[in-house]
Amino acid sequence: GNSVTQMEGPVTLSEEAFLTINCTYTATGYPSLFWYVQYPGEGLQLLLKATKADDKGSNKGFEATYRKETTSFHLEKGSVQVSDSAVYFCALRSSGGYQKVTFGIGTKLQVIP
Amino acid sequence: NAGVTQTPKFQVLKTGQSMTLQCAQDMNHEYMSWYRQDPGMGLRLIHYSVGAGITDQGEVPNGYNVSRSTTEDFPLRLLSAAPSQTSVYFCASSSLGTALGAYGYTFGSGTRLTVV
């Protein structure tokens, strides 16, 4: 079946540091890939997505590129802020069938001033 | 604002009690789902629906029932609450994807349930 692997963290960075959160996946066919963000006490919000190989999703300074050859979708940001402290979830979704979503375990990011 | 509305936000139940968690969306989304979120376990799918009258089980369906009589509403019923059902529950909805790609979810703000 489908699966998504990401480290649980926490990842602790100083403000303005470069962020990478790794995400790798296993899936049949050609899934779409997503990153969601969850701030404390809230539901998840869609951060960015990519629907085919070599697509780059971007939003709020975050980027991720759909790499089919390495089955990866790593999240990056050039300069993190304290307000980026949250839990980040990588996910995939098939476009066929019942389109269930598979989530990674979530990576907690702490940014310190 | 358009979105997914979950009620209640907090609930405490005694073991053996039943209750219904409500979920409503006003975006005309075909797909709706329920997840539970537990520390160290990420999000686990309980039940989902691809349209009115169509539901199916996810990873952890035991102890929960759902129905989908309208496009807008997707309630989750706990039949006889157990301490193992203490969790944060999220409802999420989306349009169904096409061959060009899938859509992302819109999530509700969650229901924090404690069973004592």
Side-chain angles (χ1 to χ4, degrees):
Chain A
N2 296 343
S3 67
V4 175
T5 301
Q6 59 178 124
M7 65 176 294
E8 190 170 359
V11 173
T12 302
L13 295 174
S14 297
E15 205 165 22
E16 299 184 0
F18 185 87
L19 168 70
T20 299
I21 300 177
N22 289 340
C23 171
T24 58
Y25 69 90
T26 303
T28 56
Y30 302 95
S32 295
L33 301 175
F34 303 86
W35 278 101
Y36 290 86
V37 58
Q38 184 180 32
Y39 298 102
E42 298 184 9
L44 282 71
Q45 302 173 27
L46 179 63
L47 181 59
L48 54 84
K49 76 172 198 180
T51 57
K52 62 182 186 296
D54 300 323
D55 267 2
K56 178 185 284 187
S58 62
N59 186 25
K60 300 181 181 179
F62 291 90
E63 294 182 340
T65 302
Y66 190 165
R67 302 288 190 199
K68 190 164 177 63
E69 64 275 14
T70 55
T71 61
S72 65
F73 193 54
H74 304 323
L75 182 69
E76 296 182 336
K77 187 177 185 185
S79 177
V80 293
Q81 306 300 312
V82 172
S83 57
D84 293 326
S85 297
V87 181
Y88 293 82
F89 292 87
C90 185
L92 68 83
R93 188 175 198 184
S94 301
S95 55
Y98 283 127
Q99 303 182 17
K100 286 187 285 187
V101 180
T102 302
F103 286 92
I105 198 166
T107 300
K108 184 173 184 178
L109 171 66
Q110 297 175 330
V111 181
I112 55 178
Chain B
N1 290 337
V4 178
T5 302
Q6 286 186 241
T7 56
K9 291 191 183 301
F10 301 94
Q11 183 71 49
V12 178
L13 288 179
K14 294 182 179 179
T15 298
Q17 287 184 318
S18 63
M19 79 160 294
T20 299
L21 279 62
Q22 301 292 343
C23 175
Q25 54 92 7
D26 58 2
M27 297 169 285
N28 204 33
H29 285 165
E30 303 95 336
Y31 192 100
M32 297 185 75
S33 56
W34 278 101
Y35 288 85
R36 58 178 291 173
Q37 185 177 31
D38 302 290
M41 305 198 71
L43 289 154
R44 292 183 291 170
L45 180 64
I46 304 171
H47 286 284
Y48 66 99
S49 168
V50 297
I54 306 171
T55 64
D56 204 350
Q57 296 180 352
E59 304 171 60
V60 289
N62 292 342
Y64 307 95
N65 272 357
V66 292
S67 60
R68 182 100 180 265
S69 56
T70 67
T71 299
E72 293 79 18
D73 299 300
F74 191 44
L76 178 72
R77 296 181 187 84
L78 279 70
L79 308 174
S80 177
S84 61
Q85 294 179 303
T86 294
S87 186
V88 181
Y89 291 84
F90 288 103
C91 180
S93 73
S94 76
S95 296
L96 286 175
T98 70
L100 296 178
Y103 290 95
Y105 276 149
T106 299
F107 278 86
S109 58
T111 295
R112 186 174 295 274
L113 175 68
T114 302
V115 182
V116 297

